Amino acid sequence: MLSDSTARDRNIARARLKFLENAELPAAIVPEGILNSWQRSKYLGIGTDEVVVPYQPDYDRESRLVRAATPVLDRLEQALTGSDASVIVTDRNGWVRDRRVGEKRLSAHLDRVHLAPGFNYAEQFVGTNGIGVALEERRPNVVLGTEHFNERLQGVSCAAAPIRNSVTGRVEGAMNLTCWNGPARPLMAALVQEAVEDIERVMYEFSSAHQRALLEAFQQVTHYGDRPVLCLGQDLVLANTAASARLTGDDHRLLHEAAAEFGHAPRTRREVRLTGGQHAVMRCRQVDSPAGAAGYLLELAFTDHPADRPDPRTRPGTRTEAGAAVGPWPLPGLVGTDPAWNAVSRTVSRCARARTPLLLHGEPGTGKATLVRAAHALTGAASAPVVVDAAVPGAADAGHDLPAALRAAPAGPGRVLVLRNVDAVPPEDEAAVAGALEAATAQGTWLVGTLQGALGVPEALRNRFLEVAEVPALRHRLADLPALVDCLLRRIGPGVECAPEAVAPLRRHDWPGNVRELSLVLSRAAAARRTYRIELGDLPPSLHSAGSRSLSVWEASERDTLVQALLEADGNKLLAAQRLGISRTTIYRKMRAYGITLPARG
């Protein structure tokens, strides 16, 4: 007679085969978490009979996670000697960082399935397994024998739990216990959770040591002056008043990235462009603690005048002493809290309500027409704006010249007339166009002119607009990028997300086409994605390059090929070089030449 566990294993195995054959599963046979993972694995096209995972031999063996896990693993290794169990630690991305095994036969098996340091056991590569599910669902789980998606893993059972930073709550990695299938399986989850708590406690002690070192360094520097000072650690940001009044959270990220590049060179100065368009010269030194590198101490000097930033002590919607409103100014369907964006949003909204003729300028794709539509909708009007393009006068009404097209546009209260490319009005039509605009305004029509630059508008036409406002370029409001990405993805379709690591290349891009270009990139990436969210590999190769010069067709093709090879090798330069048939030295040289900025894999 079969034992309960053996009968269960066989039922799960039969259910798995039916699942792979697209047959309907018997109710309550497969645990919900396992079935969800099977569905994700099948959607990703994970193989069922061979383990193929990326390998990255070069990694930081002194990372905080590894250093915190080492004493716990040392203790467990002694307890596991001679047993058929193994303990494994991975980072947050599924890369195996350490492994301890109790007996040789299990060690050989784990080697055959590549469950060893340097390999990646994320669900997207291996399918259903303890490590992958724990990291994907951010909770402890147990995967027993036949519940594994890949048949080569079904001889073992595993329990895993995420390791969290107790200060920030962020998942830093996972602890996994793997053993041969057997009766001891119910105890696995409890053992793993105990080990996770031990690692988290050591990491907290490290954090405390780091924070004390950062606080001491910060107090020493700020004691002697009022220059802007910023202390950046993994879990802590310290800023004096002079720095906090000028910096946002995205500025902290940019400065941390810059500091990490030369934290060992305290006399080096570097100019960094911040998210609001201003520049800061930073002097940096690394701060060390008994637990290792704690972070960076930055002394800043701003090279331009403060932008019109809201006072962080003032609540949104209130007014400063000068009478200028601060805080976000949302319009229907639009997002953003950048001060310049808020300022133009307020101006457009005010002009829409008062029917004040407005000249709106900004680079192509910045959202001039979108702002006008949103502000018009905010007034409660039901009609859509009528757009006449001075560069293509026949677009509004084929066969008519520009003045006639303007006169033919519906006019009156509740109507909007938008004249695009005001600076393209032919000189011979200036008087007639000005007359048509004046007539529309007299009938209560809200008049808006748009163009790229504020200059170049003939005086006769400029006089028709009582206010002028500029829409900022996307590269000058990168603090709004995450919110813009979410907003644009909601327009693309429900359920589409952007992986956090895919946002970094978006931040580094200059976006010459502004929001319109961003929307196009996200649309194409969403169409090409292989999972429920946009990953690094779904972005176009040009976004992984920070080069400033124009490339020839051949150079662009070479850059794209190199980026694609690096993405397929998960950033492993040696593997990418082997696949391309070139040396690793050539890879590094080409990356520098093209400014390729793939994120480091942890």
Side-chain angles (χ1 to χ4, degrees), residues 49-257:
D49 57 357
E50 186 178 2
V51 177
V52 180
V53 295
Y55 178 58
Q56 184 188 68
D58 300 326
Y59 59 90
D60 183 7
R61 289 167 172 79
E62 293 297 321
S63 69
R64 186 170 63 166
L65 173 65
V66 172
R67 295 175 67 241
T70 296
V72 178
L73 294 176
D74 289 342
R75 174 172 54 80
L76 291 173
E77 185 176 29
Q78 293 181 355
L80 294 175
T81 302
S83 69
D84 63 344
S86 169
V87 285
I88 296 159
V89 168
T90 77
D91 68 10
R92 69 173 66 94
N93 296 315
W95 293 98
V96 179
R97 293 307 182 221
D98 203 345
R99 185 189 80 179
R100 310 294 174 88
V101 190
E103 53 113 26
K104 292 183 179 180
R105 189 167 69 94
L106 179 60
S107 179
H109 174 73
L110 297 180
D111 286 343
R112 286 193 295 271
V113 296
H114 307 307
L115 186 46
F119 291 94
N120 192 304
Y121 249 68
E123 189 183 72
Q124 68 185 93
F125 300 116
V126 189
T128 306
N129 74 96
I131 295 167
V133 176
L135 293 174
E136 185 69 29
E137 299 189 353
R138 299 293 197 265
R139 61 181 177 84
N141 75 93
V142 177
V143 179
L144 304 176
T146 51
E147 292 176 347
H148 285 91
F149 191 78
N150 192 296
E151 294 172 1
R152 296 194 63 188
L153 302 179
Q154 294 184 355
V156 297
S157 294
C158 53
I163 302 169
R164 297 182 183 275
N165 184 311
S166 57
V167 177
T168 64
R170 185 177 68 168
V171 172
E172 299 288 350
M175 163 65 78
N176 178 78
L177 174 64
T178 296
C179 64
W180 297 114
N181 294 331
R185 296 182 302 187
L187 301 176
M188 296 170 61
L191 293 173
V192 165
Q193 192 58 47
E194 182 181 350
V196 164
E197 291 171 359
D198 289 343
I199 294 174
E200 289 176 345
R201 183 165 51 253
V202 176
M203 292 181 67
Y204 177 76
E205 293 171 357
F206 284 173
S207 294
S208 299
H210 291 340
Q211 290 173 0
R212 288 193 297 270
L214 288 170
L215 181 58
E216 182 179 349
F218 180 76
Q219 290 175 332
Q220 288 177 350
V221 173
T222 55
H223 180 73
Y224 295 104
D226 57 356
R227 62 187 179 280
V229 177
L230 190 69
C231 244
L232 297 172
Q234 187 171 5
D235 312 318
L236 181 69
V237 175
L238 298 172
N240 63 356
T241 303
S244 62
R246 300 289 300 270
L247 302 174
T248 66
D250 286 300
D251 292 331
H252 298 162
R253 177 191 56 79
L254 290 173
L255 291 168
H256 193 282
E257 291 175 355

Side-chain angles (χ1 to χ4, degrees), residues 258-582:
E261 294 182 11
F262 67 98
H264 61 284
R267 292 183 176 84
T268 304
R269 292 178 181 267
R270 176 175 178 178
E271 184 172 288
V272 178
R273 180 170 183 167
L274 303 176
T275 53
Q278 62 179 329
H279 292 76
V281 175
M282 57 175 277
R283 186 173 65 179
C284 164
R285 72 173 174 88
Q286 182 172 294
V287 178
D288 295 317
S289 78
Y296 305 99
L297 178 71
L298 309 182
E299 298 178 62
L300 305 174
F302 295 98
T303 58
D304 49 8
H305 296 290
D308 294 328
R309 291 180 175 271
D311 187 334
R313 298 165 294 182
T314 308
R315 289 180 296 177
T318 61
R319 293 183 175 270
T320 63
E321 294 180 357
V326 298
W329 186 263
L331 284 169
L334 303 183
V335 295
T337 58
D338 177 81
W341 175 256
N342 283 338
V344 71
S345 297
R346 286 191 183 88
T347 299
V348 177
S349 299
R350 175 169 47 78
C351 290
R353 290 194 302 270
R355 322 302 290 171
T356 303
L358 170 67
L359 188 62
L360 204 57
H361 64 94
E363 296 178 6
T366 49
K368 297 184 290 293
T370 305
L371 269 172
V372 171
R373 286 195 299 269
H376 181 53
L378 195 63
T379 66
S383 62
V386 176
V387 180
V388 178
D389 195 335
V392 190
D397 190 352
H400 288 188
D401 59 14
L402 180 57
L406 293 170
R407 288 193 296 268
R415 296 286 185 175
V416 181
L417 176 59
V418 179
L419 176 58
R420 293 187 61 197
N421 298 307
V422 178
D423 52 339
V425 174
E428 63 273 16
D429 287 339
E430 288 176 9
V433 168
L437 297 179
E438 185 175 9
T441 302
Q443 297 179 63
T445 303
W446 181 33
L447 178 63
V448 180
T450 67
L451 70 162
Q452 292 187 31
L455 302 178
V457 181
E459 191 67 23
L461 296 178
R462 182 181 289 275
N463 291 337
R464 304 276 69 79
F465 302 98
L466 300 183
E467 293 217 25
V468 180
E470 179 182 9
V471 182
L474 178 54
R475 63 182 175 277
H476 294 156
R477 50 179 293 226
L478 287 179
D480 289 341
L481 188 70
L484 273 171
V485 169
D486 290 342
C487 178
L488 294 172
L489 288 179
R490 285 195 297 271
R491 297 180 189 175
I492 291 171
V496 183
E497 299 178 9
C498 187
E501 57 270 20
V503 177
L506 299 179
R507 289 185 185 277
R508 289 192 295 266
H509 191 55
D510 281 341
W511 298 110
N514 294 292
V515 179
R516 185 186 301 148
E517 181 187 0
L518 174 63
S519 178
L520 181 60
V521 166
L522 292 174
S523 296
R524 291 176 176 174
R529 74 189 193 281
R530 293 161 292 178
T531 68
Y532 67 96
R533 62 184 187 178
I534 295 173
E535 304 285 353
L536 269 176
D538 300 324
L539 299 177
S542 59
L543 288 186
H544 300 288
S545 172
S548 58
R549 66 184 181 89
S550 299
L551 302 181
S552 66
V553 175
W554 183 88
E555 287 175 321
S557 176
E558 183 181 53
R559 177 205 60 196
D560 292 356
T561 301
L562 182 58
V563 168
Q564 191 62 40
L566 286 164
L567 288 171
E568 291 174 356
D570 205 44
N572 187 321
K573 300 174 185 61
L574 178 59
L575 181 58
Q578 291 172 346
R579 291 177 177 176
L580 292 173
I582 60 179

